[in-house]
Amino acid sequence: MAGILAWFWNERFWLPHNVTWADLKNTEEATFPQAEDLYLAFPLAFCIFMVRLIFERFVAKPCAIALNIQANGPQIAQPNAILEKVFTAITKHPDEKRLEGLSKQLDWDVRSIQRWFRQRRNQEKPSTLTRFCESMWRFSFYLYVFTYGVRFLKKTPWLWNTRHCWYNYPYQPLTTDLHYYYILELSFYWSLMFSQFTDIKRKDFGIMFLHHLVSVLLITFSYVNNMARVGTLVLCLHDSADALLEAAKMANYAKFQKMCDLLFVMFAMVFITTRLGIFPLWVLNTTLFESWEIVGPYPSWWVFNLLLLLIQGLNCFWSYLIVKIACKAVSKGKVSKDDRSDIESSSDEEDSEPPGKNPHATTTNGTGGTNGYLLTGPCSMDD
C-alpha cells in the first residue's frame, strides 16, 4: 500500500518541475491546499442532502401548494397479475404481436391493453409537485453559490487578469473564502452523484452522471495541485445559467407561461454565451496557453486540460439540444414525439395522446411557446 501511495502521489506527475510536496506544506506564514482537506466534502455532502430534504418538505412544498400545484398522480391502472408480470419482467412497451397474444389470453381488446400499459407507465412518473420541489431546491442552491462566487471573485486579481492564476504558481496561498467555495461546490456535486439515483430519472442519466463525475474529478484535481484560482473561474462560469434554468422549470410547473418563456430565453442566451463563448475564449485560453507560457506543461497539467475539454464537449452537446428546442419552438410551436423524448424519460406525454392523433404535430400541455419544451430539453441538465 505504501508503494501504491508513493506511486499515486508522485511529485513529477502532480507538480511542476523542481517543486515538491514539502514546498506546499502549511506554515505560519501561508496555508496551501492539502489533499486531506477534501475529506470534509463527504460529511458536508450528507448535510447538504439532509438540508435538501428539510427544504423540500417545509419550504418548497408549501410554496408549491400556494401556487395551486397539485400532488395528485396519474390515473392508477387496475390490478392485473398477468399484465403486471409482463410490465415488470419483459417489457413496458409491448409490440403488436405481444399485444395480440395478451388480448387472446385475457379476452381484452388490444386498445384496452394499450391503455393499461400507458396508465402503468404513467404511474412511475413523479408528480408535478415533486418536480417543483426538486427544481426549487436546485434554484435556491445555484443562486446562493453563484452569488457567493461573484462576490468572492470580484475582489480577486485573477478575475480581471487571468494571468494572475499562474503568477508564482504553485506557491499561491489558500484563503478562507476560496477554501469554503471549493469544498461547498465539491460537496454539492458529491450529493448530486448520490441523489441522482433517487431523483427524477431522465434519458440523459448517463451523460449527467459523467458530468458530475468529471466535475468531482476537476474540483479534486485542481485543489490538490493548487490550480484553485482558475478552478473558481470555471465553477462560477458554469453556475451562471443554472438558476435561470431551474426558475424556468418552476414557472413551467406553475403554468406561468409568459414568465416561463422569458426565463427560458434568458437561460439559453446565458448558457450559450458562457459555455460556447466565454469559457473557451477566456478560461481555456488561460489554462492552455497562458499557463504554458508562464509555468510550462507537466503531466497533471495535461490531465486537467483534458478534463476541461471533456466538459466543453458536454457544453457543446447541451447547446445543440437548446438550439434544437428553440428552433422547434419558433417553427410553428411544433415538436415531434421523438424529439420530446430525447432527454427526459420521466416525461411520457406521448402515451396520453388519443388514438389517431398525429404525434408529430403536438405541443406539451397544448400550448405554443416554450412551455412544453422546457420539460423535455435542457430542463434535465444539472450543470
Side-chain angles (χ1 to χ4, degrees), residues 22-33:
D23 298 330
L24 298 178
K25 288 294 184 180
N26 293 333
T27 64
E28 295 182 358
E29 292 77 22
T31 300
F32 299 104

Side-chain angles (χ1 to χ4, degrees), residues 268-335:
M269 293 175 61
V270 172
F271 187 94
I272 294 174
T273 300
T274 55
R275 308 296 178 92
L276 298 188
I278 298 176
F279 182 67
L281 297 178
W282 187 47
V283 174
L284 290 181
N285 175 67
T286 191
T287 60
L288 287 170
F289 303 110
E290 291 180 348
S291 64
W292 183 296
E293 176 187 345
I294 298 172
V295 180
Y298 51 99
S300 69
W301 178 94
W302 290 101
V303 175
F304 180 71
N305 278 286
L306 285 174
L307 290 173
L308 287 178
L309 291 173
L310 180 57
I311 286 286
Q312 182 60 11
L314 294 174
N315 289 339
C316 292
F317 170 75
W318 281 314
S319 297
Y320 160 75
L321 291 181
I322 294 171
V323 172
K324 183 179 178 181
I325 293 164
C327 290
K328 294 280 185 168
V330 171
S331 178
K332 299 181 181 179
K334 295 181 180 180
V335 61

Side-chain angles (χ1 to χ4, degrees), residues 44-62 129-130 133-134 136-138 141 188 191 194-196 198-199:
L44 187 55
F46 176 76
C47 292
I48 289 175
F49 183 74
M50 297 305 296
V51 169
R52 170 186 172 174
L53 296 180
I54 296 171
F55 179 91
E56 289 185 355
R57 181 179 180 87
F58 296 104
V59 178
K61 186 175 181 179
L129 185 143
T130 301
C133 291
E134 179 181 314
M136 188 171 180
W137 158 250
R138 297 193 182 197
F141 183 88
F188 181 68
S191 72
F194 299 120
S195 66
Q196 190 177 9
T198 58
D199 288 343

Side-chain angles (χ1 to χ4, degrees), residues 111 115 118 349-359 362:
R111 187 171 179 178
R115 185 182 302 112
R118 180 174 63 247
E349 292 88 350
E350 66 271 20
D351 290 328
S352 62
E353 294 167 358
K357 185 174 179 179
N358 179 10
T362 179

Side-chain angles (χ1 to χ4, degrees), residues 28 55 57 67 96-97 115 148 163 171 187 199 231 241 290 348 352 364:
E28 295 182 358
F55 179 91
R57 181 179 180 87
L67 293 170
E96 184 177 348
K97 183 178 180 180
R115 185 182 302 112
Y148 181 88
R163 297 178 71 88
Y171 307 106
S187 302
D199 288 343
E290 291 180 348
D348 205 14
S352 62
T364 309

Side-chain angles (χ1 to χ4, degrees), residues 60-74 125-134 200 250 252-255:
K61 186 175 181 179
C63 290
I65 294 174
L67 293 170
N68 295 320
I69 297 176
Q70 302 298 321
N72 297 335
K125 292 168 54 178
S127 67
T128 303
L129 185 143
T130 301
R131 297 169 184 264
F132 180 91
C133 291
E134 179 181 314
I200 298 170
M250 290 163 58
N252 178 72
Y253 301 143
K255 299 182 179 179

